[in-house]
């Protein structure tokens, strides 16, 4: 801490304390004020000590505020550079249009990884996600949230398959697919585990994968995540809280 | 093969739920629920049937586990 290292103020404080603690020579043995040219009375010494202490406290608070400002500036710089590179993906949406993370800058994003041949978990999570989006939409004045569904099964989930799948959940739900490499890149960016299981006679298989809904803020930064145990109400409340607290690193 | 649509999923889940309800009512005696089983098998993709069968096994195991039917072994210090 800045003030602790500078010796000057401490010497000054020590000298002042010595002065204030001198036995004072008041006349009648009461404490109120000394003679006109005599030692300063108790009240005077208390007043001066108080002012001196206040001055020191003010200087310390000012130095601390300056340090916090510097730290905040550095943090914003780090956030800006992270926002550009972190969690990027290069995929194709269910209308065939290429998409990357920057396309969603300025929007809150709810992102889920799954596959269209999923027996129960993905439909349930996407229903939950659609429910969250509808609740947030119902709130006036709030920005529209963008729901994204990325496939972990690019071999079967082509653009057409994604289109058929997502439109049954929510009109704004955007399906994203791509080559195996592109999906792998996106999975790495979000630390998503996925592994295709063994095929049966119909060449059908189930993809084991982590089940998480990610929240990205309008700067494109990962902000929160929601597991299968979180309800629609809990996720909605959490997103609202983040929206209320958000301050862009780019403003 | 294309993935099941939302309607097809719901038909499959309904058939599964009917089959599981029958099993619950007959203490998991599959021979009593053959009709429901065949409806279930014709409503869902093969992979899903395997998946739901495993899921049922897991849910039953979880019930027993939570009911305390599995005792921890006495010897814990030697592993």
């Amino acid at each position: 801490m800045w003030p602790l290292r500078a010796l000057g103020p401490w010497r000054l404080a020590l000298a002042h304390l010595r002065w204030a603690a001198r036995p004072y020579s008041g006349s009648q043995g009461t404490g109120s004020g000394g003679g006109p040219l005599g030692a300063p009375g108790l009240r005077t010494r208390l007043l001066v000590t108080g002012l001196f202490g206040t001055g020191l406290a003010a200087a310390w608070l000012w130095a601390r505020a300056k340090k916090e400002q510097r730290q905040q500036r550095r943090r914003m710089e780090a956030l800006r550079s992270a926002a550009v590179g972190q969690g990027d993906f290069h995929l194709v949406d269910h209308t065939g249009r290429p998409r990357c993370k920057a396309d969603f800058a300025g929007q809150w994003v709810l992102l889920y990884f799954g596959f269209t041949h999923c027996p129960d978990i993905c439909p349930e999570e996407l229903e939950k996600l659609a429910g969250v989006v509808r609740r947030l939409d119902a709130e006036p004045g709030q920005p529209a949230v963008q729901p994204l569904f990325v496939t972990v099964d690019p071999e079967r989930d082509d653009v057409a398959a994604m289109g058929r799948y997502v439109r049954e959940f929510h009109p704004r739900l955007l399906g994203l697919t791509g080559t195996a490499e592109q999906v792998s890149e996106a999975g790495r960016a979000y630390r998503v585990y996925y592994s295709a299981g063994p095929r049966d006679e119909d060449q059908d298989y189930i993809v084991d994968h982590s089940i998480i809904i990610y929240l990205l803020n309008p700067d494109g930064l990962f902000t929160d995540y929601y597991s299968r145990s979180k309800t629609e109400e809990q996720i909605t409340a959490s997103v609202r809280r983040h929206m209320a607290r958000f301050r862009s690193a780019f403003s | 093969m294309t993935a099941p649509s939302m309607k097809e999923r719901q038909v499959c889940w309904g058939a599964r739920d009917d089959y599981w309800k029958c099993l619950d009512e007959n203490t998991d005696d599959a021979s009593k629920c053959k009709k429901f089983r065949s409806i279930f098998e014709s409503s869902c993709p093969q992979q899903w049937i395997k998946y739901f069968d495993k899921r049922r096994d897991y849910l039953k195991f979880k019930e027993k586990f939570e009911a305390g039917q599995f005792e921890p072994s006495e010897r814990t210090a030697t592993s």
Side-chain angles (χ1 to χ4, degrees):
Chain A
M1 245 187 342
W2 168 84
L4 285 180
R5 286 205 220 118
L7 271 185
W10 288 114
R11 285 220 184 94
L12 199 59
L14 208 55
H16 172 84
L17 283 171
R18 273 206 213 103
W19 168 82
R22 260 177 0 190
Y24 79 100
S25 45
S27 42
Q28 316 300 119
T30 61
S32 49
L37 295 172
L42 180 61
R43 205 190 289 163
T44 314
R45 280 192 259 179
L46 279 176
L47 184 67
V48 176
T49 307
L51 284 172
F52 187 68
T54 308
L56 264 186
W60 181 80
L61 283 169
W62 176 85
R64 192 175 75 160
K66 279 279 162 230
K67 182 176 174 203
E68 275 171 11
Q69 268 174 25
R70 267 199 313 274
Q71 282 179 335
Q72 179 66 359
R73 258 201 311 275
R74 264 189 241 130
R75 185 174 137 78
M76 291 313 247
E77 277 161 23
L79 276 176
R80 270 192 291 270
S81 65
V84 175
Q86 184 216 78
D88 200 4
F89 50 77
H90 301 89
L91 299 164
V92 174
D93 72 21
H94 67 266
T95 69
R97 190 174 141 195
R99 298 282 200 155
C100 67
K101 196 187 71 166
D103 293 341
F104 304 101
Q107 288 182 289
W108 289 88
V109 170
L110 283 166
L111 171 61
Y112 177 74
F113 287 78
F115 65 113
T116 70
H117 282 74
C118 183
D120 51 0
I121 295 176
C122 301
E124 282 169 18
E125 291 298 290
L126 286 173
E127 276 299 348
K128 192 167 73 176
L129 187 50
V132 169
V133 172
R134 278 190 292 267
R135 280 170 193 249
L136 291 170
D137 279 351
E139 186 123 327
Q142 287 290 18
V145 171
Q146 174 61 59
L148 296 180
F149 171 62
V150 180
T151 182
V152 294
D153 185 11
E155 194 182 307
R156 286 186 296 189
D157 292 343
D158 57 9
V159 166
M162 293 298 272
R164 279 192 301 268
Y165 194 70
V166 296
R167 66 165 174 258
E168 293 193 302
F169 291 101
H170 192 281
R172 275 212 316 282
L173 178 61
L174 198 64
L176 293 171
T177 181
T179 65
E181 287 77 27
Q182 287 169 331
V183 167
S184 169
E185 178 199 16
R188 269 199 310 276
Y190 293 91
R191 312 285 194 270
V192 172
Y193 156 77
Y194 63 97
S195 170
R199 284 157 206 256
D200 62 11
E201 314 83 50
D202 302 324
Q203 295 303 303
D204 196 1
Y205 55 89
I206 289 192
V207 182
D208 190 22
H209 62 93
S210 36
I211 305 163
I212 301 181
I213 296 173
Y214 297 86
L215 175 68
L216 308 184
N217 70 18
D219 287 346
L221 281 173
F222 165 65
T223 298
D224 209 341
Y225 70 95
Y226 309 105
S227 67
R228 191 143 154 73
S229 58
K230 288 280 182 277
T231 65
E232 207 177 280
E233 293 83 2
Q234 286 169 325
I235 299 177
T236 308
S238 169
V239 175
R240 284 206 187 108
R241 275 196 303 271
H242 284 296
M243 283 176 164
R245 283 204 302 252
F246 173 69
R247 269 185 43 229
S248 174
F250 292 101
S251 52
Chain B
M1 49 175 284
T2 50
S5 67
M6 186 177 278
K7 219 166 178 172
E8 287 163 347
R9 280 197 296 271
Q10 281 161 352
V11 167
C12 166
W13 293 344
R16 174 203 63 191
D17 292 342
D18 289 341
Y19 176 57
W20 284 4
K21 189 153 150 274
C22 172
L23 288 178
D24 287 341
E25 286 164 359
N26 290 285
T27 56
D28 289 330
D29 183 358
S31 64
K32 299 250 164 58
C33 301
K34 285 202 178 115
K35 197 178 88 180
F36 289 111
R37 177 78 189 177
S38 70
I39 297 175
F40 174 43
E41 283 178 0
S42 63
S43 309
C44 302
Q46 232 344 56
Q47 279 283 304
W48 290 24
I49 295 174
K50 282 193 218 146
Y51 170 87
F52 287 132
D53 285 344
K54 276 194 247 176
R55 178 118 184 102
R56 183 165 172 92
D57 284 344
Y58 168 72
L59 289 170
K60 288 282 142 193
F61 168 77
K62 199 164 111 144
E63 259 174 46
K64 287 203 192 117
F65 188 78
E66 280 165 356
Q69 286 179 21
F70 294 109
E71 297 295 334
S73 68
E74 295 298 337
R75 296 152 54 84
T76 48
T78 52
S79 50

